[in-house]
Amino acid sequence: MPKVSIKSNKKLSNASAVTPTPYKSPLKWAGGKRRLVSNIAQWLPKKSTGRFIEPFVGGGSVFINLPYSNYLLVDSNPDLIGLFNALKSNKNEFLELAEPLFTPEFNQAEQYYSLRKEFNDCDKGLRRYALFMYLNRHGYNGLCRYNLKGQYNVPFGKYKRPYFPELEINRCHQQLQNAHLQSGDFSLAFEQAQPGDIIYCDPPYFPLGETASFTAYSGVAFSFDDQQRLALLAEDAQMKGVTTVISNHHLPATLSLYQNANKIVPLKVSRTISCKGSVRKPIKELLAIYKA
């Protein structure tokens, strides 16, 4: 395995240099990669006959903006995968259910908590996924969080006029026609990877401090053991002819985790998870490149 090299590139490290403006996800997503799509794409193989695979698809900003012929999209959150399946196969019916929820009548705390309870009580189906988008767009700061009982518990966001993302839904629908979706552990994606495939990973980030970890996204914590397991899977995939790119915080711990990568590309991005613009400041991230 080649030794890791840290490559600094001012052009690549500036997230604001992304052009043309990438398409937005239909979901608000903390840690979404829309502004980094060009940076990520520059480190992916230019020619590939394989699939583009995301083991942590999240809001989907990366696959929505990359023109591959086939996608394998995996996520541990079954509601997210259910939503994308609904947009893929039942877009018109989904729009009919979701759009009426984006009116002033439903942009009130009482209605929000009532619909949140309905979401937690209902089974799989288009109604649940329409409610998932409503909660995503009306909840606090675009967070997606569940308690230990698996109940969605993000509080009301108090937005003046939540946006209904019909244009973004239509774009996502088009991309999803060439996608296979699965809910489960990220290892499922690696198990199905074949030589020539490309994997991009955007896992829950290594915490900046002891209290900074964001692990309740699917109701299950993402541990240090999971971080190690991901790095080992990337190494194994490289040996099988699969290129893997991983995003994470730029820390001594992550540099150690990815010491067997071909390259570590530093990035400087603006933190957007805070609702206060005054405390959104650039932080260091990285891309670990395991080139096949």
Side-chain angles (χ1 to χ4, degrees):
M1 193 73 66
K3 291 184 178 180
V4 64
S5 64
I6 299 179
K7 181 168 182 177
S8 177
N9 186 316
K10 291 184 179 180
K11 182 178 180 180
L12 286 175
S13 64
N14 184 358
S16 64
V18 176
T19 55
T21 303
Y23 294 104
K24 293 182 179 180
S25 166
L27 296 168
K28 296 175 68 175
W29 209 256
K33 293 297 183 290
R34 184 175 68 91
R35 290 183 294 171
L36 290 176
V37 169
S38 293
N39 303 68
I40 294 165
Q42 290 186 50
W43 296 102
L44 301 176
K46 303 303 179 186
K47 296 181 180 180
S48 175
T49 58
R51 292 176 298 178
F52 181 74
I53 299 174
E54 287 199 68
F56 309 87
V57 66
S61 292
V62 176
F63 94 87
I64 288 171
N65 285 285
L66 295 182
Y68 290 92
S69 58
N70 288 285
Y71 306 89
L72 171 60
L73 307 176
V74 176
D75 202 276
S76 63
N77 187 332
D79 289 320
L80 182 67
I81 295 301
L83 170 63
F84 281 140
N85 270 319
L87 298 186
K88 175 182 178 178
S89 303
N90 302 97
K91 185 198 71 171
N92 292 335
E93 295 90 335
F94 177 87
L95 288 172
E96 290 177 1
L97 288 172
E99 188 170 12
L101 299 174
F102 285 72
T103 62
E105 174 188 356
F106 292 102
N107 189 27
Q108 301 176 37
E110 182 178 358
Q111 290 283 4
Y112 175 87
Y113 290 114
S114 175
L115 290 175
R116 191 181 74 174
K117 183 179 185 304
E118 180 186 348
F119 172 83
N120 285 326
D121 291 341
C122 74
D123 295 325
K124 299 176 182 178
L126 284 179
R127 175 64 176 179
R128 181 176 175 87
Y129 304 133
L131 288 171
F132 183 73
M133 177 162 283
Y134 163 84
L135 293 171
N136 171 264
R137 285 278 172 179
H138 290 74
Y140 178 76
N141 215 30
L143 294 177
C144 182
R145 189 183 66 195
Y146 300 78
N147 62 25
L148 294 177
K149 295 181 180 180
Q151 296 178 324
Y152 195 91
N153 65 356
V154 177
F156 182 53
K158 301 180 182 179
Y159 297 108
K160 289 185 178 179
R161 186 179 297 176
Y163 169 67
F164 182 65
E166 184 172 2
L167 291 175
E168 291 79 2
I169 287 172
N170 287 327
R171 169 66 185 178
C172 188
H173 167 76
Q174 293 174 4
Q175 288 291 89
L176 286 169
Q177 298 313 300
N178 298 314
H180 177 67
L181 297 123
Q182 284 186 303
S183 174
D185 184 77
F186 61 89
S187 61
L188 290 175
F190 284 90
E191 290 170 4
Q192 297 173 70
Q194 300 293 324
D197 287 346
I198 301 167
I199 300 178
Y200 169 66
C201 300
D202 186 24
Y205 274 19
F206 200 94
L208 291 171
E210 291 183 0
T211 62
S213 179
F214 181 68
T215 59
Y217 148 75
S218 63
V220 180
F222 197 81
S223 67
F224 180 73
D225 286 345
D226 291 321
Q227 300 279 3
Q228 289 182 310
R229 186 160 55 98
L230 175 59
L232 291 173
L233 285 171
E235 294 175 21
D236 290 343
Q238 182 185 43
M239 299 295 289
K240 297 175 182 177
V242 177
T243 292
T244 301
V245 176
I246 304 176
S247 291
N248 215 318
H249 281 135
H250 191 293
L251 299 168
T254 53
L255 292 176
S256 177
L257 275 174
Y258 307 136
Q259 60 183 305
N260 289 326
N262 297 88
K263 287 186 178 72
I264 299 293
V265 181
L267 300 171
K268 185 181 290 186
V269 302
S270 295
R271 176 173 291 283
T272 58
I273 195 169
S274 173
C275 63
K276 296 182 179 179
S278 60
V279 298
R280 293 176 184 171
K281 56 185 180 181
I283 59 172
K284 289 185 178 180
E285 296 190 10
L286 60 77
L287 295 176
I289 317 295
Y290 294 82
K291 186 176 177 62

PDB file of all heavy atoms in Angstrom, residues 171-201:
ATOM      1  N   ARG A 171     -35.465  17.193 -10.300  1.00  0.00           N
ATOM      2  CA  ARG A 171     -34.087  16.869 -10.662  1.00  0.00           C
ATOM      3  C   ARG A 171     -33.656  15.546 -10.007  1.00  0.00           C
ATOM      4  O   ARG A 171     -33.060  14.687 -10.651  1.00  0.00           O
ATOM      5  CB  ARG A 171     -33.162  18.001 -10.222  1.00  0.00           C
ATOM      6  CG  ARG A 171     -31.667  17.690 -10.292  1.00  0.00           C
ATOM      7  CD  ARG A 171     -31.188  17.483 -11.713  1.00  0.00           C
ATOM      8  NE  ARG A 171     -29.781  17.082 -11.737  1.00  0.00           N
ATOM      9  CZ  ARG A 171     -29.105  16.786 -12.839  1.00  0.00           C
ATOM     10  NH1 ARG A 171     -29.697  16.858 -14.002  1.00  0.00           N
ATOM     11  NH2 ARG A 171     -27.840  16.429 -12.777  1.00  0.00           N
ATOM     12  N   CYS A 172     -33.969  15.400  -8.733  1.00  0.00           N
ATOM     13  CA  CYS A 172     -33.618  14.188  -8.010  1.00  0.00           C
ATOM     14  C   CYS A 172     -34.303  12.973  -8.632  1.00  0.00           C
ATOM     15  O   CYS A 172     -33.694  11.897  -8.780  1.00  0.00           O
ATOM     16  CB  CYS A 172     -34.003  14.338  -6.545  1.00  0.00           C
ATOM     17  SG  CYS A 172     -33.424  13.015  -5.467  1.00  0.00           S
ATOM     18  N   HIS A 173     -35.562  13.131  -9.002  1.00  0.00           N
ATOM     19  CA  HIS A 173     -36.320  12.054  -9.661  1.00  0.00           C
ATOM     20  C   HIS A 173     -35.605  11.566 -10.906  1.00  0.00           C
ATOM     21  O   HIS A 173     -35.503  10.352 -11.149  1.00  0.00           O
ATOM     22  CB  HIS A 173     -37.724  12.570 -10.005  1.00  0.00           C
ATOM     23  CG  HIS A 173     -38.486  11.688 -10.948  1.00  0.00           C
ATOM     24  ND1 HIS A 173     -39.077  10.508 -10.562  1.00  0.00           N
ATOM     25  CD2 HIS A 173     -38.740  11.817 -12.279  1.00  0.00           C
ATOM     26  CE1 HIS A 173     -39.679   9.951 -11.595  1.00  0.00           C
ATOM     27  NE2 HIS A 173     -39.486  10.714 -12.653  1.00  0.00           N
ATOM     28  N   GLN A 174     -35.077  12.474 -11.704  1.00  0.00           N
ATOM     29  CA  GLN A 174     -34.376  12.096 -12.930  1.00  0.00           C
ATOM     30  C   GLN A 174     -33.130  11.272 -12.618  1.00  0.00           C
ATOM     31  O   GLN A 174     -32.890  10.233 -13.242  1.00  0.00           O
ATOM     32  CB  GLN A 174     -33.998  13.356 -13.713  1.00  0.00           C
ATOM     33  CG  GLN A 174     -35.188  14.122 -14.265  1.00  0.00           C
ATOM     34  CD  GLN A 174     -34.780  15.430 -14.913  1.00  0.00           C
ATOM     35  OE1 GLN A 174     -33.594  15.756 -15.022  1.00  0.00           O
ATOM     36  NE2 GLN A 174     -35.756  16.214 -15.336  1.00  0.00           N
ATOM     37  N   GLN A 175     -32.330  11.723 -11.659  1.00  0.00           N
ATOM     38  CA  GLN A 175     -31.112  11.007 -11.313  1.00  0.00           C
ATOM     39  C   GLN A 175     -31.403   9.625 -10.712  1.00  0.00           C
ATOM     40  O   GLN A 175     -30.656   8.676 -10.923  1.00  0.00           O
ATOM     41  CB  GLN A 175     -30.282  11.824 -10.315  1.00  0.00           C
ATOM     42  CG  GLN A 175     -29.615  13.059 -10.910  1.00  0.00           C
ATOM     43  CD  GLN A 175     -28.503  12.688 -11.878  1.00  0.00           C
ATOM     44  OE1 GLN A 175     -28.744  12.505 -13.062  1.00  0.00           O
ATOM     45  NE2 GLN A 175     -27.290  12.577 -11.372  1.00  0.00           N
ATOM     46  N   LEU A 176     -32.485   9.540  -9.961  1.00  0.00           N
ATOM     47  CA  LEU A 176     -32.810   8.283  -9.285  1.00  0.00           C
ATOM     48  C   LEU A 176     -33.255   7.180 -10.235  1.00  0.00           C
ATOM     49  O   LEU A 176     -33.292   6.009  -9.848  1.00  0.00           O
ATOM     50  CB  LEU A 176     -33.905   8.529  -8.244  1.00  0.00           C
ATOM     51  CG  LEU A 176     -33.471   9.255  -6.974  1.00  0.00           C
ATOM     52  CD1 LEU A 176     -34.696   9.681  -6.159  1.00  0.00           C
ATOM     53  CD2 LEU A 176     -32.546   8.378  -6.121  1.00  0.00           C
ATOM     54  N   GLN A 177     -33.579   7.525 -11.471  1.00  0.00           N
ATOM     55  CA  GLN A 177     -34.001   6.491 -12.418  1.00  0.00           C
ATOM     56  C   GLN A 177     -32.885   5.491 -12.693  1.00  0.00           C
ATOM     57  O   GLN A 177     -33.143   4.351 -13.105  1.00  0.00           O
ATOM     58  CB  GLN A 177     -34.491   7.127 -13.723  1.00  0.00           C
ATOM     59  CG  GLN A 177     -35.700   8.037 -13.557  1.00  0.00           C
ATOM     60  CD  GLN A 177     -36.789   7.411 -12.701  1.00  0.00           C
ATOM     61  OE1 GLN A 177     -37.328   6.354 -13.026  1.00  0.00           O
ATOM     62  NE2 GLN A 177     -37.106   8.064 -11.582  1.00  0.00           N
ATOM     63  N   ASN A 178     -31.656   5.904 -12.463  1.00  0.00           N
ATOM     64  CA  ASN A 178     -30.510   5.018 -12.689  1.00  0.00           C
ATOM     65  C   ASN A 178     -29.884   4.556 -11.375  1.00  0.00           C
ATOM     66  O   ASN A 178     -28.710   4.176 -11.350  1.00  0.00           O
ATOM     67  CB  ASN A 178     -29.454   5.737 -13.531  1.00  0.00           C
ATOM     68  CG  ASN A 178     -29.974   6.122 -14.902  1.00  0.00           C
ATOM     69  OD1 ASN A 178     -30.606   5.314 -15.574  1.00  0.00           O
ATOM     70  ND2 ASN A 178     -29.731   7.355 -15.307  1.00  0.00           N
ATOM     71  N   ALA A 179     -30.661   4.604 -10.303  1.00  0.00           N
ATOM     72  CA  ALA A 179     -30.121   4.284  -8.984  1.00  0.00           C
ATOM     73  C   ALA A 179     -30.808   3.079  -8.366  1.00  0.00           C
ATOM     74  O   ALA A 179     -32.019   2.888  -8.506  1.00  0.00           O
ATOM     75  CB  ALA A 179     -30.260   5.487  -8.056  1.00  0.00           C
ATOM     76  N   HIS A 180     -30.008   2.289  -7.654  1.00  0.00           N
ATOM     77  CA  HIS A 180     -30.523   1.228  -6.790  1.00  0.00           C
ATOM     78  C   HIS A 180     -30.302   1.681  -5.358  1.00  0.00           C
ATOM     79  O   HIS A 180     -29.209   2.123  -4.991  1.00  0.00           O
ATOM     80  CB  HIS A 180     -29.795  -0.089  -7.056  1.00  0.00           C
ATOM     81  CG  HIS A 180     -30.237  -1.202  -6.157  1.00  0.00           C
ATOM     82  ND1 HIS A 180     -31.503  -1.752  -6.211  1.00  0.00           N
ATOM     83  CD2 HIS A 180     -29.590  -1.857  -5.158  1.00  0.00           C
ATOM     84  CE1 HIS A 180     -31.612  -2.701  -5.297  1.00  0.00           C
ATOM     85  NE2 HIS A 180     -30.473  -2.791  -4.634  1.00  0.00           N
ATOM     86  N   LEU A 181     -31.345   1.589  -4.530  1.00  0.00           N
ATOM     87  CA  LEU A 181     -31.294   2.114  -3.171  1.00  0.00           C
ATOM     88  C   LEU A 181     -31.422   0.994  -2.157  1.00  0.00           C
ATOM     89  O   LEU A 181     -32.228   0.073  -2.330  1.00  0.00           O
ATOM     90  CB  LEU A 181     -32.416   3.138  -2.957  1.00  0.00           C
ATOM     91  CG  LEU A 181     -32.315   4.386  -3.839  1.00  0.00           C
ATOM     92  CD1 LEU A 181     -33.586   4.554  -4.658  1.00  0.00           C
ATOM     93  CD2 LEU A 181     -32.061   5.634  -3.015  1.00  0.00           C
ATOM     94  N   GLN A 182     -30.632   1.102  -1.077  1.00  0.00           N
ATOM     95  CA  GLN A 182     -30.698   0.117  -0.002  1.00  0.00           C
ATOM     96  C   GLN A 182     -30.536   0.813   1.343  1.00  0.00           C
ATOM     97  O   GLN A 182     -29.750   1.762   1.476  1.00  0.00           O
ATOM     98  CB  GLN A 182     -29.583  -0.924  -0.146  1.00  0.00           C
ATOM     99  CG  GLN A 182     -29.816  -1.954  -1.222  1.00  0.00           C
ATOM    100  CD  GLN A 182     -28.735  -3.026  -1.191  1.00  0.00           C
ATOM    101  OE1 GLN A 182     -27.556  -2.739  -1.304  1.00  0.00           O
ATOM    102  NE2 GLN A 182     -29.144  -4.272  -1.030  1.00  0.00           N
ATOM    103  N   SER A 183     -31.260   0.324   2.329  1.00  0.00           N
ATOM    104  CA  SER A 183     -31.108   0.809   3.698  1.00  0.00           C
ATOM    105  C   SER A 183     -30.314  -0.209   4.499  1.00  0.00           C
ATOM    106  O   SER A 183     -30.618  -1.402   4.466  1.00  0.00           O
ATOM    107  CB  SER A 183     -32.483   1.028   4.344  1.00  0.00           C
ATOM    108  OG  SER A 183     -32.348   1.375   5.704  1.00  0.00           O
ATOM    109  N   GLY A 184     -29.281   0.274   5.205  1.00  0.00           N
ATOM    110  CA  GLY A 184     -28.497  -0.639   6.024  1.00  0.00           C
ATOM    111  C   GLY A 184     -27.124  -0.085   6.331  1.00  0.00           C
ATOM    112  O   GLY A 184     -26.810   1.068   6.029  1.00  0.00           O
ATOM    113  N   ASP A 185     -26.301  -0.906   6.921  1.00  0.00           N
ATOM    114  CA  ASP A 185     -24.949  -0.531   7.294  1.00  0.00           C
ATOM    115  C   ASP A 185     -24.113  -0.217   6.049  1.00  0.00           C
ATOM    116  O   ASP A 185     -24.316  -0.810   4.981  1.00  0.00           O
ATOM    117  CB  ASP A 185     -24.306  -1.680   8.069  1.00  0.00           C
ATOM    118  CG  ASP A 185     -22.928  -1.341   8.590  1.00  0.00           C
ATOM    119  OD1 ASP A 185     -22.838  -0.611   9.602  1.00  0.00           O
ATOM    120  OD2 ASP A 185     -21.928  -1.795   7.984  1.00  0.00           O
ATOM    121  N   PHE A 186     -23.168   0.698   6.208  1.00  0.00           N
ATOM    122  CA  PHE A 186     -22.349   1.110   5.068  1.00  0.00           C
ATOM    123  C   PHE A 186     -21.561  -0.035   4.446  1.00  0.00           C
ATOM    124  O   PHE A 186     -21.176   0.028   3.271  1.00  0.00           O
ATOM    125  CB  PHE A 186     -21.410   2.250   5.476  1.00  0.00           C
ATOM    126  CG  PHE A 186     -20.431   1.910   6.575  1.00  0.00           C
ATOM    127  CD1 PHE A 186     -19.191   1.365   6.290  1.00  0.00           C
ATOM    128  CD2 PHE A 186     -20.746   2.172   7.902  1.00  0.00           C
ATOM    129  CE1 PHE A 186     -18.286   1.074   7.291  1.00  0.00           C
ATOM    130  CE2 PHE A 186     -19.845   1.874   8.928  1.00  0.00           C
ATOM    131  CZ  PHE A 186     -18.610   1.321   8.608  1.00  0.00           C
ATOM    132  N   SER A 187     -21.319  -1.083   5.207  1.00  0.00           N
ATOM    133  CA  SER A 187     -20.574  -2.225   4.670  1.00  0.00           C
ATOM    134  C   SER A 187     -21.315  -2.891   3.510  1.00  0.00           C
ATOM    135  O   SER A 187     -20.688  -3.538   2.654  1.00  0.00           O
ATOM    136  CB  SER A 187     -20.297  -3.248   5.770  1.00  0.00           C
ATOM    137  OG  SER A 187     -21.509  -3.741   6.322  1.00  0.00           O
ATOM    138  N   LEU A 188     -22.645  -2.725   3.450  1.00  0.00           N
ATOM    139  CA  LEU A 188     -23.417  -3.298   2.344  1.00  0.00           C
ATOM    140  C   LEU A 188     -22.944  -2.769   1.001  1.00  0.00           C
ATOM    141  O   LEU A 188     -22.906  -3.502   0.000  1.00  0.00           O
ATOM    142  CB  LEU A 188     -24.908  -2.986   2.514  1.00  0.00           C
ATOM    143  CG  LEU A 188     -25.660  -3.689   3.640  1.00  0.00           C
ATOM    144  CD1 LEU A 188     -27.085  -3.155   3.721  1.00  0.00           C
ATOM    145  CD2 LEU A 188     -25.670  -5.196   3.413  1.00  0.00           C
ATOM    146  N   ALA A 189     -22.595  -1.490   0.982  1.00  0.00           N
ATOM    147  CA  ALA A 189     -22.137  -0.884  -0.273  1.00  0.00           C
ATOM    148  C   ALA A 189     -20.801  -1.473  -0.698  1.00  0.00           C
ATOM    149  O   ALA A 189     -20.589  -1.792  -1.883  1.00  0.00           O
ATOM    150  CB  ALA A 189     -22.026   0.628  -0.092  1.00  0.00           C
ATOM    151  N   PHE A 190     -19.887  -1.633   0.253  1.00  0.00           N
ATOM    152  CA  PHE A 190     -18.577  -2.188  -0.075  1.00  0.00           C
ATOM    153  C   PHE A 190     -18.682  -3.646  -0.507  1.00  0.00           C
ATOM    154  O   PHE A 190     -17.943  -4.094  -1.388  1.00  0.00           O
ATOM    155  CB  PHE A 190     -17.640  -2.046   1.122  1.00  0.00           C
ATOM    156  CG  PHE A 190     -17.121  -0.655   1.330  1.00  0.00           C
ATOM    157  CD1 PHE A 190     -17.814   0.252   2.125  1.00  0.00           C
ATOM    158  CD2 PHE A 190     -15.943  -0.239   0.731  1.00  0.00           C
ATOM    159  CE1 PHE A 190     -17.341   1.544   2.323  1.00  0.00           C
ATOM    160  CE2 PHE A 190     -15.463   1.055   0.909  1.00  0.00           C
ATOM    161  CZ  PHE A 190     -16.156   1.945   1.709  1.00  0.00           C
ATOM    162  N   GLU A 191     -19.592  -4.384   0.100  1.00  0.00           N
ATOM    163  CA  GLU A 191     -19.755  -5.791  -0.252  1.00  0.00           C
ATOM    164  C   GLU A 191     -20.171  -5.965  -1.709  1.00  0.00           C
ATOM    165  O   GLU A 191     -19.847  -6.980  -2.339  1.00  0.00           O
ATOM    166  CB  GLU A 191     -20.801  -6.441   0.655  1.00  0.00           C
ATOM    167  CG  GLU A 191     -20.350  -6.623   2.098  1.00  0.00           C
ATOM    168  CD  GLU A 191     -21.489  -7.031   3.016  1.00  0.00           C
ATOM    169  OE1 GLU A 191     -22.619  -7.255   2.496  1.00  0.00           O
ATOM    170  OE2 GLU A 191     -21.275  -7.122   4.237  1.00  0.00           O
ATOM    171  N   GLN A 192     -20.883  -4.989  -2.245  1.00  0.00           N
ATOM    172  CA  GLN A 192     -21.391  -5.096  -3.612  1.00  0.00           C
ATOM    173  C   GLN A 192     -20.503  -4.421  -4.645  1.00  0.00           C
ATOM    174  O   GLN A 192     -20.773  -4.498  -5.848  1.00  0.00           O
ATOM    175  CB  GLN A 192     -22.799  -4.479  -3.670  1.00  0.00           C
ATOM    176  CG  GLN A 192     -23.800  -5.204  -2.800  1.00  0.00           C
ATOM    177  CD  GLN A 192     -25.133  -4.487  -2.731  1.00  0.00           C
ATOM    178  OE1 GLN A 192     -25.878  -4.439  -3.702  1.00  0.00           O
ATOM    179  NE2 GLN A 192     -25.436  -3.911  -1.573  1.00  0.00           N
ATOM    180  N   ALA A 193     -19.440  -3.748  -4.205  1.00  0.00           N
ATOM    181  CA  ALA A 193     -18.565  -3.035  -5.129  1.00  0.00           C
ATOM    182  C   ALA A 193     -17.782  -4.006  -6.002  1.00  0.00           C
ATOM    183  O   ALA A 193     -17.313  -5.042  -5.538  1.00  0.00           O
ATOM    184  CB  ALA A 193     -17.613  -2.128  -4.358  1.00  0.00           C
ATOM    185  N   GLN A 194     -17.654  -3.654  -7.271  1.00  0.00           N
ATOM    186  CA  GLN A 194     -16.920  -4.441  -8.247  1.00  0.00           C
ATOM    187  C   GLN A 194     -15.761  -3.620  -8.809  1.00  0.00           C
ATOM    188  O   GLN A 194     -15.777  -2.388  -8.757  1.00  0.00           O
ATOM    189  CB  GLN A 194     -17.855  -4.859  -9.392  1.00  0.00           C
ATOM    190  CG  GLN A 194     -19.052  -5.691  -8.960  1.00  0.00           C
ATOM    191  CD  GLN A 194     -18.659  -7.060  -8.448  1.00  0.00           C
ATOM    192  OE1 GLN A 194     -17.716  -7.685  -8.954  1.00  0.00           O
ATOM    193  NE2 GLN A 194     -19.368  -7.543  -7.428  1.00  0.00           N
ATOM    194  N   PRO A 195     -14.729  -4.276  -9.355  1.00  0.00           N
ATOM    195  CA  PRO A 195     -13.622  -3.525  -9.967  1.00  0.00           C
ATOM    196  C   PRO A 195     -14.142  -2.491 -10.967  1.00  0.00           C
ATOM    197  O   PRO A 195     -15.013  -2.792 -11.787  1.00  0.00           O
ATOM    198  CB  PRO A 195     -12.804  -4.617 -10.661  1.00  0.00           C
ATOM    199  CG  PRO A 195     -13.070  -5.848  -9.847  1.00  0.00           C
ATOM    200  CD  PRO A 195     -14.505  -5.738  -9.412  1.00  0.00           C
ATOM    201  N   GLY A 196     -13.615  -1.281 -10.865  1.00  0.00           N
ATOM    202  CA  GLY A 196     -14.066  -0.195 -11.732  1.00  0.00           C
ATOM    203  C   GLY A 196     -15.110   0.700 -11.108  1.00  0.00           C
ATOM    204  O   GLY A 196     -15.364   1.803 -11.601  1.00  0.00           O
ATOM    205  N   ASP A 197     -15.745   0.242 -10.025  1.00  0.00           N
ATOM    206  CA  ASP A 197     -16.697   1.091  -9.320  1.00  0.00           C
ATOM    207  C   ASP A 197     -15.960   2.209  -8.581  1.00  0.00           C
ATOM    208  O   ASP A 197     -14.755   2.118  -8.299  1.00  0.00           O
ATOM    209  CB  ASP A 197     -17.515   0.277  -8.315  1.00  0.00           C
ATOM    210  CG  ASP A 197     -18.547  -0.629  -8.971  1.00  0.00           C
ATOM    211  OD1 ASP A 197     -18.818  -0.440 -10.173  1.00  0.00           O
ATOM    212  OD2 ASP A 197     -19.075  -1.522  -8.284  1.00  0.00           O
ATOM    213  N   ILE A 198     -16.705   3.247  -8.226  1.00  0.00           N
ATOM    214  CA  ILE A 198     -16.170   4.392  -7.488  1.00  0.00           C
ATOM    215  C   ILE A 198     -17.032   4.595  -6.258  1.00  0.00           C
ATOM    216  O   ILE A 198     -18.267   4.652  -6.359  1.00  0.00           O
ATOM    217  CB  ILE A 198     -16.193   5.667  -8.347  1.00  0.00           C
ATOM    218  CG1 ILE A 198     -15.358   5.474  -9.624  1.00  0.00           C
ATOM    219  CG2 ILE A 198     -15.681   6.865  -7.557  1.00  0.00           C
ATOM    220  CD1 ILE A 198     -15.598   6.565 -10.654  1.00  0.00           C
ATOM    221  N   ILE A 199     -16.409   4.716  -5.099  1.00  0.00           N
ATOM    222  CA  ILE A 199     -17.143   4.896  -3.843  1.00  0.00           C
ATOM    223  C   ILE A 199     -16.795   6.262  -3.245  1.00  0.00           C
ATOM    224  O   ILE A 199     -15.618   6.599  -3.108  1.00  0.00           O
ATOM    225  CB  ILE A 199     -16.796   3.797  -2.824  1.00  0.00           C
ATOM    226  CG1 ILE A 199     -17.154   2.421  -3.381  1.00  0.00           C
ATOM    227  CG2 ILE A 199     -17.524   4.036  -1.506  1.00  0.00           C
ATOM    228  CD1 ILE A 199     -16.791   1.262  -2.460  1.00  0.00           C
ATOM    229  N   TYR A 200     -17.824   7.025  -2.911  1.00  0.00           N
ATOM    230  CA  TYR A 200     -17.615   8.262  -2.151  1.00  0.00           C
ATOM    231  C   TYR A 200     -18.310   8.124  -0.802  1.00  0.00           C
ATOM    232  O   TYR A 200     -19.506   7.813  -0.738  1.00  0.00           O
ATOM    233  CB  TYR A 200     -18.153   9.498  -2.875  1.00  0.00           C
ATOM    234  CG  TYR A 200     -18.154  10.698  -1.956  1.00  0.00           C
ATOM    235  CD1 TYR A 200     -16.945  11.223  -1.502  1.00  0.00           C
ATOM    236  CD2 TYR A 200     -19.344  11.242  -1.480  1.00  0.00           C
ATOM    237  CE1 TYR A 200     -16.924  12.280  -0.600  1.00  0.00           C
ATOM    238  CE2 TYR A 200     -19.319  12.298  -0.586  1.00  0.00           C
ATOM    239  CZ  TYR A 200     -18.113  12.811  -0.147  1.00  0.00           C
ATOM    240  OH  TYR A 200     -18.094  13.850   0.760  1.00  0.00           O
ATOM    241  N   CYS A 201     -17.562   8.390   0.274  1.00  0.00           N
ATOM    242  CA  CYS A 201     -18.085   8.219   1.631  1.00  0.00           C
ATOM    243  C   CYS A 201     -18.139   9.556   2.363  1.00  0.00           C
ATOM    244  O   CYS A 201     -17.121  10.257   2.454  1.00  0.00           O
ATOM    245  CB  CYS A 201     -17.204   7.263   2.433  1.00  0.00           C
ATOM    246  SG  CYS A 201     -17.070   5.609   1.737  1.00  0.00           S
TER     247      CYS A 201
END
